[in-house]
């Protein structure tokens, strides 16, 4: 925040010193910080915005990675930010602004247009990374939505002398006979335009015949939008390929948070509509802001330092906590109003081996399972107890399997698993029985040291390497996977976190080979059947490389056409 405040203060100072200077800044969260921490500065920014000298661009919460977040996250970036800009400044951003993001998925024009933005500014991939018919073009999504996009020449800030950089862009514009945006100033972690830079620009203007002017990005696009530009129907990829596999935890936590908060929102909507509960808008907004901030390109792509990821973990933890609290509250509110006992009252008891559960005579212990998805699902559900019987709401007997629990608590060390059917955006009621004689079921799964098989697929493992030798599709009588799921070590010695240790064109055109230098594989497998019941079988494969050990657990469930690893 100190960098933002210093940069904004510098921009405001330059406006007091130079009447023609204009400043552009994206990212709604920056403005929110200033509004809260420096209200006098915020009021001055509002005045400059009204004058037309301070341009609000971006329309998103930060400059996120533009490949990894979900589609809903991109929609929320625009929703929360444009709503904030309209509330505080009376206008929304017209220019999408991701000058440092590493690649841009092909659906962004549609999302930008629906968020009220007609233009897009980016710099990556550079000219050495992707050929475009022209650096200014109409970028079109598959649905036909188009934005006028401009690739920034050379850099999004001054690298070295301001005069040299600006002249370089000016010469390029003359060569192309095309107006170009020139980004200048300290940039990249703040700083803004210096007094020297602005004095240099004023001196240069004397020799440019009015062709070098201060402008906002929206001014620029408005001036050139009537010209004939080519149409690009493609993703804008790639810069920094290596970061898309770096530090998987931040990527996994992002997706968990996205899915969890969406589930929480759906269930909170139900309790609001069905039970008139107050919708927890402030909590959900806070969770989304935490998630969106952590989608900043250097954070989500795994390019930050260790201490930054400690901070990111706090934000993801807060978002996940909010999502879980809202979800749990909603599930409790709804489930307690479901008649799980068929309109009758039964005596409830608690005690014995399953001392954490209440039991109703003859109907067992009812449970309600929710499905927040928009399609019917059949999924494995793990019960936190060992059961003796299970049935659905129609009293049909359901197969289950006893498995080892994650806890070790005297004799309470076993759980149960079964395949539950739950309708779209709905719930199912099941009844578990904690006492009685344990039921036995015929096993349709087959497991040995080197293969797993159910009614749909057969997975065979290589006895020498431990890899999946093949997955055979029994329905279609064909192999769908050959020699995979093996631990491979790659040589990335000469690459930094982003993988942009060199900028030669040849590097990017042969980057597959660059990142395909294999230095070793895990081998010497030890196979062990850990589970083999009527619901699922699990084969554990342990391989080694030097002193490192890789443990892979392969699960195959009854009735599923996939293997879970």
């Amino acid at each position: 925040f100190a960098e933002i405040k210093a940069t904004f203060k510098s921009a405001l100072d330059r406006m007091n010193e130079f009447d023609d200077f204009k400043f552009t800044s994206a990212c709604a969260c920056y403005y929110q910080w200033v509004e809260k921490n420096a209200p006098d500065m915020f009021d001055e920014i509002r005045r400059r915005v009204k004058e037309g000298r301070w341009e609000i661009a971006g329309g998103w919460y930060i400059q996120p990675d533009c490949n990894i977040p979900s589609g809903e996250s991109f929609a929320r970036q625009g929703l929360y930010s444009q709503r904030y800009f309209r509330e505080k400044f009376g206008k929304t951003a017209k220019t999408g602004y991701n000058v440092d993001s590493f690649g841009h998925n092909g659906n962004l024009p549609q999302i930008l247009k629906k968020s009220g933005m007609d233009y897009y500014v980016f710099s990556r991939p550079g000219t050495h990374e992707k050929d475009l018919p022209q650096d200014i073009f109409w970028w079109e999504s598959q649905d036909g939505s188009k934005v006028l996009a401009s690739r920034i020449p050379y850099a999004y800030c001054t690298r070295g002398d301001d005069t040299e950089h600006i002249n370089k862009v000016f010469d390029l514009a003359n060569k192309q006979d095309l107006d170009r945006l020139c980004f200048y100033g300290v940039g990249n972690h703040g700083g803004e335009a210096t007094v020297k830079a602005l004095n240099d620009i004023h001196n240069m203007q004397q020799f440019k015949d009015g062709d070098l002017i201060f402008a906002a990005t929206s001014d620029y696009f408005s001036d050139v939008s009537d010209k004939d530009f080519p149409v690009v129907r493609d993703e804008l990829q790639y810069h920094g390929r290596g970061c898309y596999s770096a530090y998987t935890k931040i990527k996994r936590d992002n997706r968990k948070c996205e899915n969890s908060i969406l589930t929480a929102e759906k269930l909170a909507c139900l309790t609001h509509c069905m039970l008139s509960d107050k919708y927890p808008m402030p909590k959900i907004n806070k969770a989304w802001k935490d998630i969106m901030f952590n989608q900043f390109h250097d954070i989500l792509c795994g390019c930050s330092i260790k201490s930054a990821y400690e901070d990111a973990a706090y934000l993801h933890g807060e978002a996940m906590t909010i999502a879980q609290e809202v979800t749990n509250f909603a599930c409790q509110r709804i489930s307690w109003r479901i008649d799980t006992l068929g309109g009758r009252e039964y005596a409830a008891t608690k005690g014995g081996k399953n001392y954490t559960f209440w039991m109703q005579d003859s109907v067992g212990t009812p449970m309600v399972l929710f499905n927040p998805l928009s399609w019917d699902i059949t999924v494995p559900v793990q019960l936190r107890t060992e059961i003796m019987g299970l049935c659905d709401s129609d009293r049909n007997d359901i197969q289950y399997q006893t498995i080892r629990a994650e806890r070790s608590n005297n004799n309470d060390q076993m759980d149960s698993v079964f395949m539950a059917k739950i309708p779209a955006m709905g719930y199912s009621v099941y009844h578990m029985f904690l006492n009685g004689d344990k039921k036995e079921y015929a096993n349709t799964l087959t497991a040995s040291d080197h293969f797993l098989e159910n009614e749909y697929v057969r997975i065979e493992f290589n006895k020498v390497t431990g890899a999946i030798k093949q997955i055979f599709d029994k329905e279609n009588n064909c192999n769908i996977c050959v020699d995979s799921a093996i631990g491979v070590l790659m040589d990335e010695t000469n690459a930094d976190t982003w993988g942009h240790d060199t900028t030669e064109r040849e590097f990017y055109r042969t980057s597959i080979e660059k990142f395909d230098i294999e230095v070793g594989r895990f081998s010497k497998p030890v196979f062990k059947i850990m589970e083999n019941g009527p619901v699922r079988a699990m084969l554990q494969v342990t391989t080694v490389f030097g002193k490192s050990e890789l443990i892979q657990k392969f699960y195959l469930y009854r009735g599923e056409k996939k293997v879970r690893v």
Side-chain angles (χ1 to χ4, degrees), residues 218-240:
S218 55
D219 297 335
Y220 166 76
F221 283 113
S222 179
D223 287 346
V224 302
S225 59
D226 60 341
K227 294 180 172 58
D228 186 24
F229 294 115
V231 177
V232 173
R233 301 179 181 90
D234 192 12
E235 296 187 318
L236 305 179
Q237 310 287 9
Y238 280 103
H239 173 87

mmCIF file of all heavy atoms in Angstrom, residues 218-240:
data_model
loop_
_atom_site.group_PDB
_atom_site.id
_atom_site.type_symbol
_atom_site.label_atom_id
_atom_site.label_comp_id
_atom_site.label_asym_id
_atom_site.label_seq_id
_atom_site.Cartn_x
_atom_site.Cartn_y
_atom_site.Cartn_z
ATOM 1 N N SER A 218 -8.540 5.904 -22.933
ATOM 2 C CA SER A 218 -9.846 5.978 -23.592
ATOM 3 C C SER A 218 -9.852 7.061 -24.667
ATOM 4 O O SER A 218 -10.524 6.913 -25.697
ATOM 5 C CB SER A 218 -10.943 6.234 -22.561
ATOM 6 O OG SER A 218 -10.673 7.396 -21.799
ATOM 7 N N ASP A 219 -9.104 8.155 -24.437
ATOM 8 C CA ASP A 219 -8.971 9.188 -25.474
ATOM 9 C C ASP A 219 -8.303 8.605 -26.718
ATOM 10 O O ASP A 219 -8.726 8.844 -27.851
ATOM 11 C CB ASP A 219 -8.132 10.362 -24.966
ATOM 12 C CG ASP A 219 -8.775 11.079 -23.792
ATOM 13 O OD1 ASP A 219 -10.011 11.021 -23.670
ATOM 14 O OD2 ASP A 219 -8.031 11.690 -22.996
ATOM 15 N N TYR A 220 -7.253 7.864 -26.493
ATOM 16 C CA TYR A 220 -6.506 7.267 -27.595
ATOM 17 C C TYR A 220 -7.391 6.334 -28.421
ATOM 18 O O TYR A 220 -7.482 6.440 -29.651
ATOM 19 C CB TYR A 220 -5.304 6.499 -27.050
ATOM 20 C CG TYR A 220 -4.658 5.581 -28.053
ATOM 21 C CD1 TYR A 220 -3.847 6.074 -29.055
ATOM 22 C CD2 TYR A 220 -4.888 4.204 -27.995
ATOM 23 C CE1 TYR A 220 -3.269 5.226 -29.993
ATOM 24 C CE2 TYR A 220 -4.311 3.349 -28.917
ATOM 25 C CZ TYR A 220 -3.507 3.869 -29.915
ATOM 26 O OH TYR A 220 -2.942 3.026 -30.830
ATOM 27 N N PHE A 221 -8.062 5.394 -27.736
ATOM 28 C CA PHE A 221 -8.889 4.432 -28.465
ATOM 29 C C PHE A 221 -10.039 5.122 -29.198
ATOM 30 O O PHE A 221 -10.402 4.741 -30.315
ATOM 31 C CB PHE A 221 -9.428 3.374 -27.500
ATOM 32 C CG PHE A 221 -8.415 2.334 -27.119
ATOM 33 C CD1 PHE A 221 -7.940 2.245 -25.818
ATOM 34 C CD2 PHE A 221 -7.934 1.443 -28.051
ATOM 35 C CE1 PHE A 221 -7.013 1.287 -25.460
ATOM 36 C CE2 PHE A 221 -7.002 0.471 -27.713
ATOM 37 C CZ PHE A 221 -6.539 0.398 -26.402
ATOM 38 N N SER A 222 -10.614 6.125 -28.565
ATOM 39 C CA SER A 222 -11.704 6.847 -29.207
ATOM 40 C C SER A 222 -11.243 7.519 -30.495
ATOM 41 O O SER A 222 -11.963 7.531 -31.501
ATOM 42 C CB SER A 222 -12.273 7.885 -28.240
ATOM 43 O OG SER A 222 -13.307 8.624 -28.835
ATOM 44 N N ASP A 223 -10.007 8.032 -30.494
ATOM 45 C CA ASP A 223 -9.478 8.726 -31.666
ATOM 46 C C ASP A 223 -9.175 7.781 -32.822
ATOM 47 O O ASP A 223 -9.282 8.165 -33.998
ATOM 48 C CB ASP A 223 -8.214 9.502 -31.292
ATOM 49 C CG ASP A 223 -8.516 10.746 -30.463
ATOM 50 O OD1 ASP A 223 -9.699 11.130 -30.408
ATOM 51 O OD2 ASP A 223 -7.587 11.305 -29.862
ATOM 52 N N VAL A 224 -8.769 6.546 -32.505
ATOM 53 C CA VAL A 224 -8.339 5.640 -33.578
ATOM 54 C C VAL A 224 -9.393 4.601 -33.940
ATOM 55 O O VAL A 224 -9.198 3.825 -34.884
ATOM 56 C CB VAL A 224 -7.028 4.904 -33.186
ATOM 57 C CG1 VAL A 224 -5.930 5.900 -32.874
ATOM 58 C CG2 VAL A 224 -7.253 3.954 -32.003
ATOM 59 N N SER A 225 -10.509 4.535 -33.207
ATOM 60 C CA SER A 225 -11.464 3.435 -33.367
ATOM 61 C C SER A 225 -12.162 3.416 -34.726
ATOM 62 O O SER A 225 -12.723 2.390 -35.113
ATOM 63 C CB SER A 225 -12.526 3.497 -32.258
ATOM 64 O OG SER A 225 -13.225 4.724 -32.306
ATOM 65 N N ASP A 226 -12.121 4.543 -35.466
ATOM 66 C CA ASP A 226 -12.783 4.571 -36.773
ATOM 67 C C ASP A 226 -11.886 4.049 -37.888
ATOM 68 O O ASP A 226 -12.304 3.957 -39.041
ATOM 69 C CB ASP A 226 -13.241 5.990 -37.103
ATOM 70 C CG ASP A 226 -12.081 6.984 -37.154
ATOM 71 O OD1 ASP A 226 -11.013 6.667 -36.600
ATOM 72 O OD2 ASP A 226 -12.267 8.068 -37.735
ATOM 73 N N LYS A 227 -10.652 3.700 -37.553
ATOM 74 C CA LYS A 227 -9.728 3.188 -38.563
ATOM 75 C C LYS A 227 -9.960 1.696 -38.795
ATOM 76 O O LYS A 227 -10.619 1.018 -38.020
ATOM 77 C CB LYS A 227 -8.283 3.465 -38.149
ATOM 78 C CG LYS A 227 -7.938 4.948 -38.114
ATOM 79 C CD LYS A 227 -6.495 5.157 -37.701
ATOM 80 C CE LYS A 227 -6.075 6.617 -37.850
ATOM 81 N NZ LYS A 227 -6.915 7.539 -37.074
ATOM 82 N N ASP A 228 -9.396 1.194 -39.865
ATOM 83 C CA ASP A 228 -9.581 -0.206 -40.249
ATOM 84 C C ASP A 228 -8.486 -1.054 -39.612
ATOM 85 O O ASP A 228 -7.307 -0.948 -39.973
ATOM 86 C CB ASP A 228 -9.539 -0.337 -41.776
ATOM 87 C CG ASP A 228 -9.871 -1.743 -42.223
ATOM 88 O OD1 ASP A 228 -10.550 -2.453 -41.466
ATOM 89 O OD2 ASP A 228 -9.439 -2.131 -43.325
ATOM 90 N N PHE A 229 -8.856 -1.907 -38.669
ATOM 91 C CA PHE A 229 -7.892 -2.765 -37.981
ATOM 92 C C PHE A 229 -8.231 -4.228 -38.214
ATOM 93 O O PHE A 229 -9.404 -4.588 -38.401
ATOM 94 C CB PHE A 229 -7.902 -2.485 -36.471
ATOM 95 C CG PHE A 229 -7.420 -1.107 -36.101
ATOM 96 C CD1 PHE A 229 -8.286 -0.195 -35.510
ATOM 97 C CD2 PHE A 229 -6.118 -0.719 -36.340
ATOM 98 C CE1 PHE A 229 -7.855 1.069 -35.163
ATOM 99 C CE2 PHE A 229 -5.674 0.546 -35.995
ATOM 100 C CZ PHE A 229 -6.548 1.445 -35.415
ATOM 101 N N PRO A 230 -7.225 -5.092 -38.202
ATOM 102 C CA PRO A 230 -7.487 -6.526 -38.373
ATOM 103 C C PRO A 230 -8.214 -7.102 -37.156
ATOM 104 O O PRO A 230 -8.225 -6.505 -36.084
ATOM 105 C CB PRO A 230 -6.083 -7.130 -38.512
ATOM 106 C CG PRO A 230 -5.188 -6.156 -37.819
ATOM 107 C CD PRO A 230 -5.782 -4.799 -38.052
ATOM 108 N N VAL A 231 -8.821 -8.276 -37.357
ATOM 109 C CA VAL A 231 -9.532 -8.975 -36.289
ATOM 110 C C VAL A 231 -8.709 -10.193 -35.873
ATOM 111 O O VAL A 231 -8.242 -10.958 -36.726
ATOM 112 C CB VAL A 231 -10.938 -9.413 -36.734
ATOM 113 C CG1 VAL A 231 -11.633 -10.213 -35.629
ATOM 114 C CG2 VAL A 231 -11.771 -8.194 -37.121
ATOM 115 N N VAL A 232 -8.526 -10.362 -34.573
ATOM 116 C CA VAL A 232 -7.799 -11.512 -34.032
ATOM 117 C C VAL A 232 -8.785 -12.359 -33.236
ATOM 118 O O VAL A 232 -9.401 -11.873 -32.284
ATOM 119 C CB VAL A 232 -6.628 -11.078 -33.133
ATOM 120 C CG1 VAL A 232 -6.000 -12.292 -32.445
ATOM 121 C CG2 VAL A 232 -5.590 -10.329 -33.951
ATOM 122 N N ARG A 233 -8.939 -13.598 -33.647
ATOM 123 C CA ARG A 233 -9.811 -14.542 -32.937
ATOM 124 C C ARG A 233 -8.935 -15.637 -32.358
ATOM 125 O O ARG A 233 -8.876 -16.756 -32.870
ATOM 126 C CB ARG A 233 -10.861 -15.120 -33.883
ATOM 127 C CG ARG A 233 -11.771 -14.072 -34.521
ATOM 128 C CD ARG A 233 -12.763 -14.711 -35.473
ATOM 129 N NE ARG A 233 -13.637 -13.721 -36.115
ATOM 130 C CZ ARG A 233 -13.348 -13.121 -37.259
ATOM 131 N NH1 ARG A 233 -12.191 -13.399 -37.882
ATOM 132 N NH2 ARG A 233 -14.171 -12.233 -37.773
ATOM 133 N N ASP A 234 -8.260 -15.310 -31.280
ATOM 134 C CA ASP A 234 -7.265 -16.234 -30.726
ATOM 135 C C ASP A 234 -6.944 -15.804 -29.303
ATOM 136 O O ASP A 234 -7.198 -14.663 -28.911
ATOM 137 C CB ASP A 234 -6.001 -16.217 -31.580
ATOM 138 C CG ASP A 234 -5.041 -17.349 -31.240
ATOM 139 O OD1 ASP A 234 -5.454 -18.277 -30.514
ATOM 140 O OD2 ASP A 234 -3.884 -17.299 -31.688
ATOM 141 N N GLU A 235 -6.397 -16.711 -28.535
ATOM 142 C CA GLU A 235 -5.845 -16.347 -27.240
ATOM 143 C C GLU A 235 -4.564 -15.547 -27.450
ATOM 144 O O GLU A 235 -3.911 -15.654 -28.495
ATOM 145 C CB GLU A 235 -5.524 -17.599 -26.412
ATOM 146 C CG GLU A 235 -6.738 -18.423 -26.048
ATOM 147 C CD GLU A 235 -6.396 -19.544 -25.106
ATOM 148 O OE1 GLU A 235 -5.346 -20.198 -25.307
ATOM 149 O OE2 GLU A 235 -7.170 -19.780 -24.171
ATOM 150 N N LEU A 236 -4.208 -14.764 -26.464
ATOM 151 C CA LEU A 236 -2.949 -14.021 -26.498
ATOM 152 C C LEU A 236 -2.001 -14.706 -25.524
ATOM 153 O O LEU A 236 -1.963 -14.403 -24.344
ATOM 154 C CB LEU A 236 -3.194 -12.553 -26.115
ATOM 155 C CG LEU A 236 -4.261 -11.813 -26.946
ATOM 156 C CD1 LEU A 236 -4.426 -10.382 -26.454
ATOM 157 C CD2 LEU A 236 -3.910 -11.836 -28.429
ATOM 158 N N GLN A 237 -1.228 -15.653 -26.041
ATOM 159 C CA GLN A 237 -0.353 -16.480 -25.217
ATOM 160 C C GLN A 237 1.022 -16.585 -25.871
ATOM 161 O O GLN A 237 1.133 -16.447 -27.084
ATOM 162 C CB GLN A 237 -0.926 -17.900 -25.080
ATOM 163 C CG GLN A 237 -2.374 -17.984 -24.660
ATOM 164 C CD GLN A 237 -2.656 -17.636 -23.213
ATOM 165 O OE1 GLN A 237 -1.753 -17.151 -22.519
ATOM 166 N NE2 GLN A 237 -3.877 -17.848 -22.755
ATOM 167 N N TYR A 238 2.116 -16.908 -25.205
ATOM 168 C CA TYR A 238 2.314 -17.017 -23.774
ATOM 169 C C TYR A 238 3.496 -16.174 -23.389
ATOM 170 O O TYR A 238 4.409 -15.981 -24.175
ATOM 171 C CB TYR A 238 2.655 -18.459 -23.362
ATOM 172 C CG TYR A 238 1.488 -19.389 -23.259
ATOM 173 C CD1 TYR A 238 1.233 -20.318 -24.251
ATOM 174 C CD2 TYR A 238 0.635 -19.343 -22.153
ATOM 175 C CE1 TYR A 238 0.178 -21.197 -24.142
ATOM 176 C CE2 TYR A 238 -0.418 -20.226 -22.046
ATOM 177 C CZ TYR A 238 -0.641 -21.150 -23.045
ATOM 178 O OH TYR A 238 -1.684 -22.008 -22.942
ATOM 179 N N HIS A 239 3.517 -15.754 -22.163
ATOM 180 C CA HIS A 239 4.719 -15.196 -21.563
ATOM 181 C C HIS A 239 4.915 -15.916 -20.236
ATOM 182 O O HIS A 239 3.969 -16.112 -19.496
ATOM 183 C CB HIS A 239 4.576 -13.696 -21.326
ATOM 184 C CG HIS A 239 5.715 -13.110 -20.556
ATOM 185 N ND1 HIS A 239 6.864 -12.668 -21.173
ATOM 186 C CD2 HIS A 239 5.894 -12.900 -19.231
ATOM 187 C CE1 HIS A 239 7.701 -12.210 -20.248
ATOM 188 N NE2 HIS A 239 7.136 -12.345 -19.067
ATOM 189 N N GLY A 240 6.134 -16.283 -19.922
ATOM 190 C CA GLY A 240 6.389 -16.913 -18.635
ATOM 191 C C GLY A 240 5.690 -18.251 -18.479
ATOM 192 O O GLY A 240 4.940 -18.465 -17.533
#
